[in-house]
Amino acid sequence: MNDPLNDPVNDYDLRHHGDAEVAPGMLDFAVNVRLAAPPEWLRAVLVDALGTLGRYPDPAAATAAVAARHGRPAEEVLPVAGAAEAFVLLARALRPRRAVCVHPSFTEPEAALRTAGHDVERVVLPEPYGLRPNLIPADADLVVLGNPTNPTGVLHDPADLARLARPGRILVVDEAFIDTVPGERGSLAGRRDLPGLVVLRSLTKTWGLAGLRVGYLLAEPAMVRTLARAQPLWSVSSPALAALVACCSPAALAEAERAAVLLGEHRAHLLAGLAELAGLAGLAERRIEVAAPSSASFVLVRLPGGLKVRERLRAAGIAVRRADTFPGLGPDHLRIAVRPQAQTDGLLTELRRAADHAL
Protein backbone atom coordinates (compact mmCIF):
# COMPACT_ATOMS: atom_id res chain seq x y z
CA MET A 1 0.00 0.00 0.00
CA ASN A 2 1.36 3.43 -0.92
CA ASP A 3 2.20 5.85 1.87
CA PRO A 4 0.27 9.07 1.10
CA LEU A 5 2.86 11.11 2.99
CA ASN A 6 5.72 9.84 0.85
CA ASP A 7 4.27 9.87 -2.65
CA PRO A 8 6.03 11.68 -5.54
CA VAL A 9 3.57 14.58 -5.33
CA ASN A 10 4.42 15.33 -1.73
CA ASP A 11 7.87 16.85 -1.46
CA TYR A 12 7.72 17.91 2.21
CA ASP A 13 8.10 15.91 5.40
CA LEU A 14 4.67 16.75 6.80
CA ARG A 15 5.25 14.74 9.97
CA HIS A 16 8.42 16.52 11.05
CA HIS A 17 7.82 18.58 14.20
CA GLY A 18 9.94 20.71 16.49
CA ASP A 19 10.36 18.09 19.20
CA ALA A 20 12.53 16.08 16.79
CA GLU A 21 15.08 18.91 16.84
CA VAL A 22 15.80 18.81 20.58
CA ALA A 23 18.23 16.44 22.28
CA PRO A 24 18.66 16.24 26.07
CA GLY A 25 20.61 19.16 27.47
CA MET A 26 20.08 21.44 24.48
CA LEU A 27 18.84 25.00 24.80
CA ASP A 28 15.43 24.70 23.15
CA PHE A 29 14.36 27.30 20.59
CA ALA A 30 12.62 24.67 18.46
CA VAL A 31 9.48 23.79 20.42
CA ASN A 32 6.77 26.41 20.88
CA VAL A 33 5.79 25.44 24.42
CA ARG A 34 6.14 28.24 26.99
CA LEU A 35 6.83 26.10 30.06
CA ALA A 36 8.81 22.92 30.59
CA ALA A 37 6.08 21.78 33.02
CA PRO A 38 2.73 23.19 34.16
CA PRO A 39 2.69 25.73 37.00
CA GLU A 40 2.34 24.46 40.56
CA TRP A 41 -1.36 25.28 40.87
CA LEU A 42 -2.10 23.30 37.70
CA ARG A 43 0.08 20.41 38.84
CA ALA A 44 -2.06 20.26 41.99
CA VAL A 45 -5.18 19.98 39.83
CA LEU A 46 -3.61 17.11 37.89
CA VAL A 47 -2.56 15.31 41.08
CA ASP A 48 -6.09 15.62 42.46
CA ALA A 49 -7.45 14.15 39.23
CA LEU A 50 -5.44 10.98 39.82
CA GLY A 51 -7.94 10.05 42.49
CA THR A 52 -10.63 9.75 39.80
CA LEU A 53 -8.77 7.36 37.51
CA GLY A 54 -10.88 4.41 38.61
CA ARG A 55 -13.82 5.98 36.77
CA TYR A 56 -14.21 6.57 33.06
CA PRO A 57 -13.65 10.19 31.97
CA ASP A 58 -16.73 12.42 32.04
CA PRO A 59 -16.35 15.48 29.77
CA ALA A 60 -19.46 17.29 31.05
CA ALA A 61 -17.72 19.73 33.42
CA ALA A 62 -14.97 20.54 30.90
CA THR A 63 -17.51 21.05 28.14
CA ALA A 64 -19.51 23.40 30.34
CA ALA A 65 -16.39 25.34 31.35
CA VAL A 66 -15.33 25.90 27.74
CA ALA A 67 -18.87 26.84 26.75
CA ALA A 68 -19.05 29.42 29.55
CA ARG A 69 -15.66 30.84 28.64
CA HIS A 70 -16.69 31.50 25.03
CA GLY A 71 -20.36 32.30 25.61
CA ARG A 72 -21.58 29.33 23.59
CA PRO A 73 -23.96 26.43 24.29
CA ALA A 74 -22.37 23.20 25.46
CA GLU A 75 -23.61 21.54 22.28
CA GLU A 76 -21.06 23.61 20.34
CA VAL A 77 -18.02 22.30 22.28
CA LEU A 78 -16.02 19.09 21.88
CA PRO A 79 -12.99 18.37 24.11
CA VAL A 80 -10.22 16.63 22.17
CA ALA A 81 -6.86 15.03 22.89
CA GLY A 82 -5.00 18.02 21.52
CA ALA A 83 -5.61 19.80 18.23
CA ALA A 84 -3.90 16.90 16.45
CA GLU A 85 -6.81 14.63 17.34
CA ALA A 86 -9.24 17.21 15.98
CA PHE A 87 -7.50 17.12 12.60
CA VAL A 88 -7.80 13.33 12.53
CA LEU A 89 -11.50 13.52 13.43
CA LEU A 90 -12.13 15.99 10.62
CA ALA A 91 -10.29 13.75 8.17
CA ARG A 92 -12.26 10.70 9.30
CA ALA A 93 -15.69 12.28 9.42
CA LEU A 94 -15.75 14.58 6.40
CA ARG A 95 -15.94 13.75 2.70
CA PRO A 96 -14.74 16.95 1.01
CA ARG A 97 -14.86 17.25 -2.76
CA ARG A 98 -12.15 19.92 -2.81
CA ALA A 99 -10.02 20.21 0.33
CA VAL A 100 -7.61 23.13 0.60
CA CYS A 101 -4.85 23.67 3.15
CA VAL A 102 -3.42 27.17 3.28
CA HIS A 103 0.37 27.23 3.62
CA PRO A 104 2.90 27.79 5.01
CA SER A 105 1.17 26.45 8.08
CA PHE A 106 1.07 23.60 10.56
CA THR A 107 1.37 20.47 8.43
CA GLU A 108 -0.63 18.03 10.54
CA PRO A 109 -4.02 18.95 8.97
CA GLU A 110 -2.77 18.04 5.50
CA ALA A 111 -1.05 14.93 6.83
CA ALA A 112 -4.25 13.74 8.51
CA LEU A 113 -6.32 14.37 5.38
CA ARG A 114 -3.86 12.56 3.12
CA THR A 115 -3.59 9.62 5.50
CA ALA A 116 -7.39 9.30 5.42
CA GLY A 117 -7.26 9.11 1.62
CA HIS A 118 -8.33 12.64 0.72
CA ASP A 119 -6.81 14.65 -2.07
CA VAL A 120 -5.46 17.95 -0.76
CA GLU A 121 -4.85 21.13 -2.69
CA ARG A 122 -2.31 23.60 -1.38
CA VAL A 123 -2.71 27.36 -1.50
CA VAL A 124 0.72 28.82 -0.75
CA LEU A 125 0.63 32.43 0.40
CA PRO A 126 3.36 34.73 -0.92
CA GLU A 127 5.73 36.42 1.52
CA PRO A 128 5.04 38.00 3.99
CA TYR A 129 2.32 35.33 4.21
CA GLY A 130 -0.76 37.39 4.97
CA LEU A 131 -4.07 35.86 3.99
CA ARG A 132 -5.41 36.69 0.53
CA PRO A 133 -9.00 35.43 0.42
CA ASN A 134 -9.11 35.70 -3.37
CA LEU A 135 -6.52 32.90 -3.62
CA ILE A 136 -8.90 30.37 -2.08
CA PRO A 137 -10.85 28.48 -4.78
CA ALA A 138 -14.51 29.48 -4.65
CA ASP A 139 -15.67 25.86 -4.83
CA ALA A 140 -13.42 24.58 -2.03
CA ASP A 141 -15.72 22.89 0.47
CA LEU A 142 -13.04 22.40 3.16
CA VAL A 143 -10.51 25.13 3.93
CA VAL A 144 -7.95 24.78 6.74
CA LEU A 145 -5.61 27.48 8.02
CA GLY A 146 -4.01 28.74 11.21
CA ASN A 147 -4.37 32.04 13.06
CA PRO A 148 -1.81 33.06 14.15
CA THR A 149 -0.09 30.78 11.71
CA ASN A 150 2.71 28.37 12.53
CA PRO A 151 5.55 28.87 11.48
CA THR A 152 5.17 32.46 10.29
CA GLY A 153 3.47 33.94 13.35
CA VAL A 154 1.21 35.99 11.07
CA LEU A 155 -2.07 37.04 12.67
CA HIS A 156 -4.67 37.24 9.93
CA ASP A 157 -7.38 39.90 9.90
CA PRO A 158 -10.53 38.25 11.28
CA ALA A 159 -12.56 40.07 8.63
CA ASP A 160 -10.53 38.27 5.94
CA LEU A 161 -11.11 34.96 7.70
CA ALA A 162 -14.84 35.65 7.91
CA ARG A 163 -14.92 36.27 4.16
CA LEU A 164 -13.92 32.63 3.66
CA ALA A 165 -17.02 31.28 5.43
CA ARG A 166 -19.99 30.38 3.26
CA PRO A 167 -22.80 27.82 3.10
CA GLY A 168 -21.57 24.45 1.89
CA ARG A 169 -18.01 25.01 3.11
CA ILE A 170 -16.28 23.87 6.29
CA LEU A 171 -13.80 26.54 7.41
CA VAL A 172 -11.31 25.20 9.97
CA VAL A 173 -9.29 27.83 11.84
CA ASP A 174 -6.50 26.48 14.03
CA GLU A 175 -6.14 28.90 16.95
CA ALA A 176 -3.59 26.85 18.87
CA PHE A 177 -1.44 29.96 19.36
CA ILE A 178 -4.13 32.61 19.81
CA ASP A 179 -3.55 32.69 23.58
CA THR A 180 -0.06 34.03 22.89
CA VAL A 181 -1.73 37.18 21.53
CA PRO A 182 -2.80 39.71 24.19
CA GLY A 183 -6.56 39.85 24.38
CA GLU A 184 -6.72 36.92 21.95
CA ARG A 185 -7.09 39.59 19.30
CA GLY A 186 -8.29 38.17 16.00
CA SER A 187 -10.00 35.09 17.47
CA LEU A 188 -13.17 33.74 15.89
CA ALA A 189 -14.01 31.60 18.92
CA GLY A 190 -17.03 33.76 19.76
CA ARG A 191 -18.43 33.86 16.22
CA ARG A 192 -21.60 31.79 15.97
CA ASP A 193 -22.90 33.53 12.85
CA LEU A 194 -20.39 32.12 10.35
CA PRO A 195 -21.64 29.00 8.55
CA GLY A 196 -19.43 25.95 8.69
CA LEU A 197 -16.87 27.49 11.06
CA VAL A 198 -14.76 25.12 13.18
CA VAL A 199 -12.31 26.70 15.63
CA LEU A 200 -9.60 24.59 17.26
CA ARG A 201 -7.87 25.43 20.54
CA SER A 202 -4.97 23.87 22.46
CA LEU A 203 -3.77 24.14 26.06
CA THR A 204 -0.32 22.88 25.13
CA LYS A 205 1.53 26.07 24.39
CA THR A 206 0.72 28.33 27.31
CA TRP A 207 0.39 25.75 30.07
CA GLY A 208 3.22 23.29 29.41
CA LEU A 209 0.87 20.37 28.68
CA ALA A 210 2.28 18.88 25.50
CA GLY A 211 2.49 15.46 27.15
CA LEU A 212 -1.09 15.55 28.43
CA ARG A 213 -2.82 16.12 25.06
CA VAL A 214 -5.74 18.43 25.69
CA GLY A 215 -7.68 20.94 23.64
CA TYR A 216 -11.14 21.53 22.25
CA LEU A 217 -13.06 22.56 19.19
CA LEU A 218 -15.97 24.92 18.71
CA ALA A 219 -18.50 24.38 15.93
CA GLU A 220 -22.18 24.18 15.06
CA PRO A 221 -23.98 21.44 17.02
CA ALA A 222 -24.43 19.19 13.96
CA MET A 223 -20.69 19.33 13.25
CA VAL A 224 -19.85 18.60 16.90
CA ARG A 225 -22.10 15.53 16.79
CA THR A 226 -20.51 14.35 13.54
CA LEU A 227 -16.99 14.66 14.91
CA ALA A 228 -17.93 13.14 18.27
CA ARG A 229 -19.13 10.01 16.45
CA ALA A 230 -15.69 9.69 14.86
CA GLN A 231 -13.92 10.13 18.20
CA PRO A 232 -12.80 7.06 20.17
CA LEU A 233 -14.56 6.57 23.46
CA TRP A 234 -12.88 8.34 26.39
CA SER A 235 -10.04 9.72 24.22
CA VAL A 236 -9.63 12.71 26.55
CA SER A 237 -8.34 11.56 29.92
CA SER A 238 -9.70 12.62 33.30
CA PRO A 239 -6.55 14.66 34.14
CA ALA A 240 -6.81 16.42 30.77
CA LEU A 241 -10.46 17.26 31.38
CA ALA A 242 -9.59 18.59 34.86
CA ALA A 243 -6.89 20.78 33.31
CA LEU A 244 -9.40 22.09 30.81
CA VAL A 245 -11.76 23.16 33.58
CA ALA A 246 -8.94 24.79 35.54
CA CYS A 247 -7.50 26.67 32.55
CA CYS A 248 -10.89 28.21 31.77
CA SER A 249 -11.09 29.82 35.21
CA PRO A 250 -10.86 33.63 35.49
CA ALA A 251 -7.58 33.36 37.41
CA ALA A 252 -6.02 31.15 34.73
CA LEU A 253 -7.20 33.41 31.92
CA ALA A 254 -5.70 36.40 33.70
CA GLU A 255 -2.41 34.54 34.10
CA ALA A 256 -2.43 33.62 30.42
CA GLU A 257 -3.00 37.25 29.50
CA ARG A 258 -0.01 38.36 31.58
CA ALA A 259 2.08 35.67 29.94
CA ALA A 260 1.04 36.89 26.48
CA VAL A 261 2.06 40.45 27.32
CA LEU A 262 5.44 39.29 28.67
CA LEU A 263 5.96 37.13 25.61
CA GLY A 264 5.46 40.21 23.45
CA GLU A 265 8.29 41.91 25.32
CA HIS A 266 10.55 38.89 24.85
CA ARG A 267 9.67 38.75 21.15
CA ALA A 268 10.54 42.43 20.75
CA HIS A 269 13.95 41.72 22.32
CA LEU A 270 14.56 38.86 19.89
CA LEU A 271 13.51 40.97 16.91
CA ALA A 272 15.77 43.82 18.00
CA GLY A 273 18.69 41.41 18.30
CA LEU A 274 18.02 39.96 14.86
CA ALA A 275 17.86 43.45 13.39
CA GLU A 276 21.20 44.26 14.98
CA LEU A 277 22.72 41.11 13.49
CA ALA A 278 21.35 42.02 10.07
CA GLY A 279 23.18 45.32 10.18
CA LEU A 280 26.57 44.02 11.24
CA ALA A 281 29.44 44.36 8.79
CA GLY A 282 30.13 41.00 7.21
CA LEU A 283 26.63 39.74 7.92
CA ALA A 284 24.57 42.28 6.04
CA GLU A 285 25.27 40.63 2.70
CA ARG A 286 23.99 37.36 4.13
CA ARG A 287 20.58 38.96 4.55
CA ILE A 288 19.53 37.69 7.96
CA GLU A 289 15.91 38.72 7.68
CA VAL A 290 12.70 38.26 9.61
CA ALA A 291 10.50 36.70 6.96
CA ALA A 292 7.10 37.60 8.44
CA PRO A 293 5.59 39.91 11.08
CA SER A 294 5.01 37.58 14.02
CA SER A 295 2.33 37.99 16.68
CA ALA A 296 3.01 34.57 18.19
CA SER A 297 5.58 32.76 20.31
CA PHE A 298 8.05 32.23 17.46
CA VAL A 299 9.72 34.14 14.65
CA LEU A 300 10.44 32.93 11.12
CA VAL A 301 13.83 34.01 9.76
CA ARG A 302 15.53 33.57 6.42
CA LEU A 303 19.25 33.53 5.81
CA PRO A 304 21.45 31.90 3.18
CA GLY A 305 22.84 28.61 4.41
CA GLY A 306 20.01 28.24 6.91
CA LEU A 307 20.42 24.49 7.35
CA LYS A 308 24.16 24.89 7.86
CA VAL A 309 23.47 27.55 10.47
CA ARG A 310 21.06 25.17 12.18
CA GLU A 311 23.73 22.45 12.32
CA ARG A 312 26.30 24.85 13.77
CA LEU A 313 23.81 25.93 16.40
CA ARG A 314 23.17 22.28 17.24
CA ALA A 315 26.91 21.78 17.69
CA ALA A 316 26.80 24.68 20.16
CA GLY A 317 23.95 23.04 22.08
CA ILE A 318 21.10 25.16 20.68
CA ALA A 319 18.07 23.76 18.85
CA VAL A 320 16.09 25.79 16.32
CA ARG A 321 13.37 24.47 14.03
CA ARG A 322 14.18 23.80 10.39
CA ALA A 323 11.36 25.25 8.31
CA ASP A 324 11.91 23.57 4.95
CA THR A 325 9.34 20.94 5.95
CA PHE A 326 6.58 23.54 5.62
CA PRO A 327 5.14 23.86 2.08
CA GLY A 328 6.12 27.23 0.67
CA LEU A 329 9.36 27.51 2.64
CA GLY A 330 12.89 26.36 1.87
CA PRO A 331 16.25 25.43 3.39
CA ASP A 332 17.12 29.06 4.19
CA HIS A 333 14.17 29.38 6.59
CA LEU A 334 14.42 28.70 10.32
CA ARG A 335 11.80 29.09 13.04
CA ILE A 336 13.01 30.46 16.37
CA ALA A 337 10.90 30.19 19.52
CA VAL A 338 10.59 33.24 21.75
CA ARG A 339 12.38 32.76 25.06
CA PRO A 340 13.34 34.99 28.03
CA GLN A 341 15.94 37.63 27.26
CA ALA A 342 18.97 35.95 28.81
CA GLN A 343 18.42 32.81 26.76
CA THR A 344 17.79 34.90 23.65
CA ASP A 345 21.07 36.73 24.10
CA GLY A 346 22.90 33.40 24.16
CA LEU A 347 21.17 32.38 20.95
CA LEU A 348 22.02 35.65 19.22
CA THR A 349 25.69 35.27 20.12
CA GLU A 350 25.84 31.77 18.67
CA LEU A 351 23.71 32.76 15.70
CA ARG A 352 26.25 35.39 14.73
CA ARG A 353 29.07 32.87 14.96
CA ALA A 354 27.09 30.28 13.01
CA ALA A 355 26.16 32.73 10.26
CA ASP A 356 29.79 33.86 9.99
CA HIS A 357 30.82 30.31 9.11
CA ALA A 358 27.79 29.07 7.18
CA LEU A 359 28.93 30.20 3.74
Side-chain angles (χ1 to χ4, degrees), residues 31-48:
V31 177
N32 297 318
V33 177
R34 179 175 70 96
L35 302 172
E40 288 296 333
W41 63 266
L42 185 50
R43 292 192 203 190
V45 169
L46 299 177
V47 169
D48 285 346

Side-chain angles (χ1 to χ4, degrees), residues 66 69-70 77-80 199-201 203 215-218 244:
V66 172
R69 179 192 170 184
H70 293 293
V77 176
L78 181 66
V80 291
V199 174
L200 307 183
R201 288 293 191 95
L203 271 63
Y216 56 91
L217 63 83
L218 307 167
L244 194 48

Side-chain angles (χ1 to χ4, degrees), residues 195-263:
L197 176 65
V198 179
V199 174
L200 307 183
R201 288 293 191 95
S202 169
L203 271 63
T204 298
K205 283 55 180 180
T206 290
W207 298 115
L209 294 174
L212 190 63
R213 312 309 308 139
V214 54
Y216 56 91
L217 63 83
L218 307 167
E220 296 165 343
M223 176 60 69
V224 169
R225 290 193 296 270
T226 295
L227 298 177
R229 285 193 294 269
Q231 188 177 36
L233 282 174
W234 312 299
S235 69
V236 186
S237 69
S238 296
L241 293 168
L244 194 48
V245 172
C247 291
C248 285
S249 71
L253 295 178
E255 183 174 329
E257 178 68 9
R258 292 191 296 271
V261 172
L262 181 61
L263 183 142

